[in-house]
Amino acid sequence: MAADAPTSAAASVVASRPSILRRLVALDTALSLRVHSFCRPVPRPLLKALEISGDGRFWFPIPIALLPLSSASGAAYSLFLGLLLGSLLDLLLVGLIKHLVRRPRPVYNKGMSLTFAVDHWSFPSGHSSRVFFIAAFLRLSSASLRRVLLFDGPIAPARRWIEDYYDGELAELLVWIVSTWSVATSTSRVLLGRHFVLDVIAGAFLGILEALLVLNFLHL
């Protein structure tokens, strides 16, 4: 009987885990619906614009088009290559996790065009992981970004004017803008009803992890 006690205790712990998970999902569902309902006055065209700005179909062509225009040994090449590799990694990880978890999207999700089968699933938010990857990648590789922006090329006059007006570095300003955009885009996923709050949080952490992996791989 004494030997059976630890086994029974372990079994009870295992049995309680689904209940805890269900409570967490229920809390997340209720919180997400409350946030979505409370923020209905936010203009939907603004939220849709943020949705489009974080779409992978918009971001994939950018590094692909800019890579051939960069020197293979330059900082710009490393940045664009990192953005491309991170986007591919994000697509792979988000698709895999969505396929494994298979959490349905909110029932109040309306007007969404689905491209792939995994887009029917909600966890994690691909938009959040993508935009947080971009923001974290630029933040952590700000030294390379600064070198790219310091070249004496066509943007030099505009760069000097912005820095004089801003009273700071253009790289710092760009990172701040991208970081703000990443938070706004991720928030819009809940306000549009595309995702639950936990989907967005998980996506954000996944994007930051992807940035760390890509930076470590490229040794930036």
Side-chain angles (χ1 to χ4, degrees):
M1 294 294 292
D4 293 337
T7 304
S8 301
S12 64
V13 170
V14 172
S16 67
R17 285 176 183 172
S19 178
I20 294 174
L21 181 59
R22 283 196 294 270
R23 291 178 186 176
L24 179 61
V25 170
L27 178 63
D28 181 37
T29 302
L31 174 62
S32 302
L33 176 58
R34 179 165 296 188
V35 172
H36 172 73
S37 302
F38 181 77
C39 296
R40 283 185 185 277
V42 179
R44 193 170 179 85
L46 172 61
L47 300 178
K48 289 287 291 182
L50 288 170
E51 179 176 59
I52 294 172
S53 72
D55 196 301
R57 290 168 293 183
F58 173 76
W59 279 102
F60 261 109
I62 294 178
I64 293 176
L66 294 177
L67 263 177
L69 304 178
S70 310
S71 170
S73 59
Y77 185 86
S78 297
L79 279 177
F80 299 143
L81 179 61
L83 287 172
L84 179 58
L85 291 177
S87 299
L88 292 172
L89 178 63
D90 178 71
L91 184 66
L92 175 64
L93 292 179
V94 169
L96 177 62
I97 297 172
K98 283 189 174 185
H99 178 73
L100 293 174
V101 176
R102 299 195 174 197
R103 183 184 191 185
R105 290 185 182 270
V107 295
Y108 45 84
N109 176 33
K110 305 296 181 183
M112 180 179 180
S113 57
L114 300 175
T115 306
F116 302 102
V118 292
D119 286 334
H120 289 277
W121 309 117
S122 186
F123 183 92
S125 167
H127 273 70
S128 299
S129 63
R130 187 178 304 112
V131 297
F132 265 86
F133 159 72
I134 295 171
F137 180 78
L138 293 181
R139 167 66 67 182
L140 295 172
S141 58
S142 57
S144 296
L145 178 62
R146 192 175 296 111
R147 287 198 298 272
V148 172
L149 295 175
L150 284 176
F151 82 103
D152 190 16
I155 70 165
R159 174 179 57 80
R160 297 190 189 101
W161 180 84
I162 292 174
E163 289 184 349
D164 289 341
Y165 177 81
Y166 170 63
D167 193 26
E169 292 185 351
L170 179 57
E172 180 186 344
L173 176 62
L174 285 177
V175 169
W176 182 85
I177 291 174
V178 172
S179 299
T180 303
W181 162 75
S182 68
V183 173
T185 301
S186 298
T187 304
S188 74
R189 307 309 291 158
V190 179
L191 303 192
L192 277 170
R194 306 292 193 230
H195 288 282
F196 300 100
V197 172
L198 277 183
D199 302 339
V200 170
I201 295 174
F205 277 105
L206 179 62
I208 294 172
L209 175 61
E210 291 165 351
L212 292 171
L213 291 174
V214 171
L215 286 166
N216 183 65
F217 177 75
L218 294 178
H219 303 291
L220 282 178

